[in-house]
Amino acid sequence: ARGASLTDFAEKIGVDAAALVQMLFSLGEMVTATESVNDETLELLGEELNYVVEVVSPEDEDRELLESFDLEFGEDEGDESDLAIRPPVVTVMGHVDHGKTKLLDALRKANVVAKEAGGITQHIGAYQVAAEVDGDERRITFIDTPGHEAFTAMRARGAQATDIAILVVAADDGVMPQTVEALNHAKAANVPIVVAVNKIDKPEADPTKVRGQLTEYGLVPEEYGGDAMFVDVSAKSELNLDKLLEAVVLTADASLDLRANPHQDAQGLVVEAHLDRGRGPVATVLVQRGTLRVGDSIVAGPAHGRVRAMLDEHGDNIEAADPSRPAMVLGLNAAPSAGQNFIVVEDDRMARQIAEKREARERAAMQAKRRVRRSLEDFMAS
Ligand code: GTP
Ligand code: MG
């Protein structure tokens, strides 16, 4: 919580910021809700609320936990010669209903070089296409994100897992709140942005207006002398999809060094997970480094298990998934949350031990929050 405002802190522990202001006031501390609070103030609050304020971040704590098992998340093992080129991971973001999912469906339909016959296509929110760009076959991984305002955290994490962001803006609606939010997440994560100005088939579409609006947010189109690529598209009429793919590939080639070591135990992120009635917990994961294989022992957030089977975006069984490849994983004991990491470990026992420690910590954090809420309620009532 270091450097966080009282509002951030209140949100983290699930209480009303105004109540914290009032409590601090009664303790002789004048702090406004937006002011950042120092450790002493947090400790003061902690004493009053019978709660030990932890200044360690959950991320640091998890790093330590993994270290105690001789594991590390986020680094390629080996040296330069182990690295192999991997496809770019492209996250599609934008305001609700601006056409993200439809655009992804259209891209998949138009450019799947691999066979699509038979088998029902699964919608897993992440898939790889083999697109033909300038005569070359190029693989690109796409991740869909929801535009609904409730999914801020998912968009923030999506931006972090990604190499390139496609910002979808409906040309009949223009720049909207989640357009700006997505833009800010991508900027914060230092991710290059390609703008897809969508729905240009609509008579009321005004792609020039979208360019003007985004220019005000510092995203200046190339044709105006800036460095952002804008492509006018229609997901519905399947217009200019090849141009959009080309812009993505150009961006990847121009500014990114996309390599990972496929010859190590796999690590990556959970894109989505749910409980399937027939199959149990099903998690869509994105492999970031290493190769994930059927039979691997994995821990994903507070869930663990052995990979029983893996499916690709067509619902076909696959034996292995290399860097940048999304896969549906069966065999976990629970559904982890989107954005949590997964890591392959030595054996089932280690996976279970790590998962149990994480689960215990999540539970303790929840109990602490509840305790604080109760103390605060008592204080307000007294
Ligand atoms: P959320 O996931 O809810 O944030 O929405 P989304 O951005 O994924 O939008 P979605 O793809 O679900 O499309 C929303 C609506 O816009 C649907 O009714 C689509 O059919 C329509 N739509 C998407 N693209 C186009 C387009 O290019 N032209 C027209 N006319 N309609 C489109
Ligand atoms: Mg959608």
Side-chain angles (χ1 to χ4, degrees), residues 95-102 145-148 198-199 201-202 234-236:
H95 195 74
V96 67
D97 276 350
H98 277 197
K100 300 175 290 295
T101 303
K102 183 125 181 131
T145 63
H148 190 276
N198 191 30
K199 306 199 185 185
D201 59 285
K202 287 194 154 187
S234 166
K236 190 183 171 200

Side-chain angles (χ1 to χ4, degrees), residues 290-313:
T291 299
L292 183 63
R293 293 193 165 79
V294 171
D296 281 345
S297 300
I298 73 168
V299 52
H304 66 93
R306 188 182 293 206
V307 180
R308 192 172 72 228
M310 277 196 294
L311 306 175
D312 66 9
E313 55 275 83

Side-chain angles (χ1 to χ4, degrees), residues 170-378:
D172 60 335
D173 207 20
V175 170
M176 298 298 275
Q178 270 69 59
T179 314
V180 177
E181 196 220 85
L183 175 62
N184 289 335
H185 285 318
K187 274 189 188 161
N190 218 354
V191 168
I193 301 165
V194 173
V195 182
V197 183
N198 191 30
K199 306 199 185 185
I200 57 158
D201 59 285
K202 287 194 154 187
E204 64 271 36
D206 190 349
T208 308
K209 186 172 152 202
V210 174
R211 282 169 173 72
Q213 288 176 323
L214 285 175
T215 297
E216 284 176 31
Y217 287 97
L219 206 58
V220 186
E222 278 181 338
E223 59 261 50
Y224 295 180
D227 53 14
M229 281 201 246
F230 280 59
V231 185
D232 292 343
V233 299
S234 166
K236 190 183 171 200
S237 317
E238 297 179 10
L239 218 75
N240 290 347
L241 302 181
D242 50 341
K243 291 210 177 96
L244 182 60
L245 289 171
E246 205 180 287
V248 166
V249 168
L250 274 174
T251 304
D253 291 350
S255 53
L256 304 167
D257 176 28
L258 301 174
R259 293 184 300 164
N261 178 8
H263 317 289
Q264 65 174 71
D265 287 340
Q267 299 189 344
L269 294 172
V270 175
V271 176
E272 183 269 348
H274 65 274
L275 211 60
D276 184 274
R277 212 181 290 167
R279 293 185 287 203
V282 176
T284 300
V285 303
L286 172 71
V287 177
Q288 293 182 301
R289 59 201 78 82
T291 299
L292 183 63
R293 293 193 165 79
V294 171
D296 281 345
S297 300
I298 73 168
V299 52
H304 66 93
R306 188 182 293 206
V307 180
R308 192 172 72 228
M310 277 196 294
L311 306 175
D312 66 9
E313 55 275 83
H314 312 295
D316 291 336
N317 276 289
I318 51 174
E319 283 298 313
D322 57 351
S324 294
R325 189 172 283 279
M328 266 168 101
V329 169
L330 276 57
L332 288 170
N333 70 325
S337 306
Q340 289 184 313
N341 62 42
F342 83 83
I343 175 164
V344 167
V345 300
E346 228 162 80
D347 52 30
D348 295 353
R349 191 161 154 264
M350 189 184 278
R352 198 187 59 240
Q353 283 174 342
I354 296 169
E356 280 171 358
K357 288 220 163 83
R358 282 177 172 170
E359 217 210 308
R361 217 161 29 193
E362 282 188 7
R363 219 176 12 226
M366 236 142 72
Q367 275 163 2
K369 279 185 194 177
R370 229 175 289 141
R371 220 168 33 235
V372 168
R373 260 199 302 269
R374 229 177 296 129
S375 306
L376 199 59
E377 275 163 21
D378 291 348

